[in-house]
Amino acid sequence: MRFTLYKNNDSTNPRKRTQRILAAETDRLCYVGNNFGTGALKCNTLCRHFVGILNKTSGQMEVYDAELFNMQPLFADESIESELTLESESKTFREKMDSCIEAFGTTKQKRALNSRRMNTVGSESLNRAVAKAAENIIDTKGVTALVNDAKRDDMQDDSLYLPPCHADAAKPEDVYKFEDRILAEYEALQSPSEAFRNVTSEEILKMIEENSHCSFVIEALKSLPSNEESRDRQARCIWFLDTLIKFRAQKVIKRKSALGPGIPHIISTKLLKHFTCLTYNNGSLRNLISDSMKAKITAYVIILALHINDFQIDLTMLQRDLKLSEKRMIEIAKAMRLKVSKRSVSLAAGREEYHRLGALCIPLPPAQTVDRQAKRRRIT
């Protein structure tokens, strides 16, 4: 039997410099033992061992330090098993679970595993195809052309909720024509707007106390004209604006009756058709007021407010009534080509605050699309 002792070359590390591997080789088998790791004997750390060699000539015994090794036979298959062990240690928990399912899983589990792997391969192929297509488009069109296309897409997105604008109009009232907004429903507004048309100062005070209507509606009712025809027109516009603001505050309309008993059928049909998206959920159809539809309602409210207030409105007051952020309100106002300014407004107890004003002036300022750069950066 031939013995070979191997020691660790790392002499600086106190743990490793004492590590030894003892190999014994015979004609049939090889044996290997070590003094570290899981196969090492614990007795080496608990006590010391010695080996005595008797000198027959002098009759004296020489004592040397010794260490016990648990020698195990080494077979050719064990090298393969060690490779498999290393491979299994490098696998993730999901991969180990998949291996168990392949070996011992039920038919249903194996089918689900195959389906998931196919989906993974499909998504990887799709990602590679998309990446390659994107590279080809960038190489073909260039970065500048793609940026210009994105800007045009932004303008098209804005046009989805912005009302038609007559940019070549000679008067402010012709930019967003009143006839384009509520001409078809104008006659239907006569009955529900009667309360606004005949409102008294006592009823306005009661509205303020009960907080039943928004601030813009209250201020508009306070300044109703005395002329009967003008008063009727203003009352109809105010009622429709008030209905749009209340309609915008909802999220889902499950049935027409949810809009309220005082709304004519033609008005409720218009609201559901033009300001909601039809969705299917839990076996029933519902009308959803999405974010884009809320922006569309806001644009129509601004137009009605402009016609009510001689084409100059308090955007801050409307923003609070619509429960919007100031930034979003100004974005929509500028997209509608309003001139936005700031003015100090006196409040109760001698306080003052700055309000944003929006005016429709001729000639119209350049169109400004809604700023989506911050959102795009967050996505990327």
Side-chain angles (χ1 to χ4, degrees):
M1 185 177 287
R2 297 174 296 278
F3 287 91
T4 308
L5 182 67
Y6 301 92
K7 67 177 182 178
N8 198 316
N9 290 329
D10 191 354
S11 60
T12 58
N13 192 327
R15 289 180 177 273
K16 292 184 177 181
R17 66 186 177 190
T18 60
Q19 292 180 354
R20 301 288 186 270
I21 297 177
L22 181 64
E25 188 177 352
T26 66
D27 295 336
R28 295 179 60 192
L29 281 176
C30 291
Y31 297 87
V32 177
N34 54 59
N35 64 349
F36 61 91
T38 56
L41 296 174
K42 300 296 182 183
C43 59
N44 288 325
T45 59
L46 299 176
C47 57
R48 294 181 64 182
H49 298 86
F50 300 93
V51 173
I53 299 177
L54 178 64
N55 191 331
K56 295 181 178 180
T57 305
S58 62
Q60 293 181 349
M61 180 175 288
E62 296 179 0
V63 179
Y64 297 90
D65 284 324
E67 196 169 1
L68 298 182
F69 287 86
N70 184 19
M71 307 296 289
Q72 298 289 336
L74 179 66
F75 300 100
D77 294 340
E78 288 190 7
S79 59
I80 301 175
E81 289 179 2
S82 62
E83 292 178 1
L84 293 174
T85 304
L86 292 174
E87 183 182 352
S88 65
E89 288 178 355
S90 63
K91 287 184 177 181
T92 62
F93 178 76
R94 167 57 65 183
E95 290 172 342
K96 292 178 181 178
M97 288 294 296
D98 291 346
S99 299
C100 291
I101 291 174
E102 282 182 329
F104 310 107
T106 62
T107 304
K108 185 177 180 181
Q109 289 174 330
K110 291 179 180 178
R111 193 183 303 119
L113 175 61
N114 292 333
S115 177
R116 178 160 55 81
R117 285 178 172 174
M118 290 294 291
N119 290 337
T120 303
V121 172
S123 63
E124 290 176 355
S125 302
L126 178 62
N127 290 335
R128 286 195 296 269
V130 170
K132 186 176 180 180
E135 290 176 359
N136 293 337
I137 292 173
I138 292 173
D139 293 339
T140 304
K141 301 190 70 173
V143 177
T144 305
L146 290 174
V147 171
N148 294 332
D149 290 345
K151 289 181 179 179
R152 282 196 295 271
D153 290 342
D154 283 347
M155 295 183 69
Q156 290 175 359
D157 290 343
D158 296 339
S159 64
L160 294 177
Y161 66 80
L162 292 180
C165 175
H166 303 279
D168 56 347
K171 298 182 294 183
E173 53 266 31
D174 293 335
V175 176
Y176 295 104
K177 293 183 178 180
F178 181 80
E179 293 80 5
D180 294 341
R181 306 283 72 79
I182 56 173
L183 181 62
E185 299 81 19
Y186 188 75
E187 293 301 324
L189 296 174
Q190 180 179 4
S191 176
S193 65
E194 186 176 355
F196 281 178
R197 186 167 54 251
N198 301 324
V199 70
T200 62
S201 55
E202 290 80 9
E203 290 174 338
I204 293 177
L205 288 174
K206 187 178 180 181
M207 291 178 186
I208 297 173
E209 292 175 359
E210 296 177 351
N211 197 24
S212 58
H213 295 81
C214 62
S215 301
F216 185 88
V217 171
I218 297 294
E219 294 300 321
L221 290 176
K222 288 180 181 178
S223 57
L224 279 174
S226 56
N227 179 272
E228 185 176 348
E229 184 178 353
S230 300
R231 188 181 183 91
D232 178 55
R233 183 177 183 274
Q234 289 285 78
R236 298 188 192 201
C237 292
I238 294 170
W239 183 89
F240 194 48
L241 180 143
D242 184 54
T243 302
L244 281 175
I245 292 177
K246 291 178 179 178
F247 182 76
R248 186 188 179 280
Q250 303 184 61
K251 292 183 179 180
V252 177
I253 310 296
K254 294 184 178 179
R255 54 187 183 278
K256 290 184 179 180
S257 59
L259 301 178
I263 298 182
H265 176 74
I266 187 174
I267 301 297
S268 60
T269 302
K270 177 186 176 70
L271 294 177
L272 295 176
K273 181 180 179 181
H274 294 282
F275 301 113
T276 65
C277 305
L278 198 61
T279 60
Y280 184 80
N281 188 27
N282 293 332
S284 62
L285 290 173
R286 301 189 303 175
N287 294 87
L288 175 69
I289 305 178
S290 61
D291 290 340
S292 60
M293 288 298 168
K294 287 181 183 290
K296 184 177 181 180
I297 296 172
T298 301
Y300 275 71
V301 166
I302 290 175
I303 292 175
L304 284 171
L306 288 169
H307 280 278
I308 292 170
N309 274 11
D310 295 327
F311 304 98
Q312 182 170 336
I313 56 174
D314 189 332
L315 291 174
T316 302
M317 183 184 295
L318 267 183
Q319 163 223 320
R320 292 170 180 172
D321 291 339
L322 292 166
K323 295 179 174 57
L324 274 174
S325 66
E326 180 179 324
K327 179 183 177 182
R328 182 59 173 158
M329 190 68 178
I330 293 174
E331 284 178 352
I332 296 176
K334 288 185 176 180
M336 295 176 66
R337 306 183 72 170
L338 267 65
K339 182 180 179 182
V340 179
S341 59
K342 187 184 290 187
R343 186 184 70 181
S344 178
V345 176
S346 300
L347 302 176
R351 296 184 297 109
E352 290 187 352
E353 68 176 5
Y354 286 99
H355 281 211
R356 296 280 187 171
L357 303 181
L360 197 59
C361 304
I362 300 296
L364 297 176
Q368 296 187 26
T369 58
V370 177
D371 184 15
R372 294 185 178 87
Q373 295 301 320
K375 180 179 179 182
R376 189 172 290 123
R377 278 196 295 271
R378 285 198 299 271
I379 293 175
T380 56

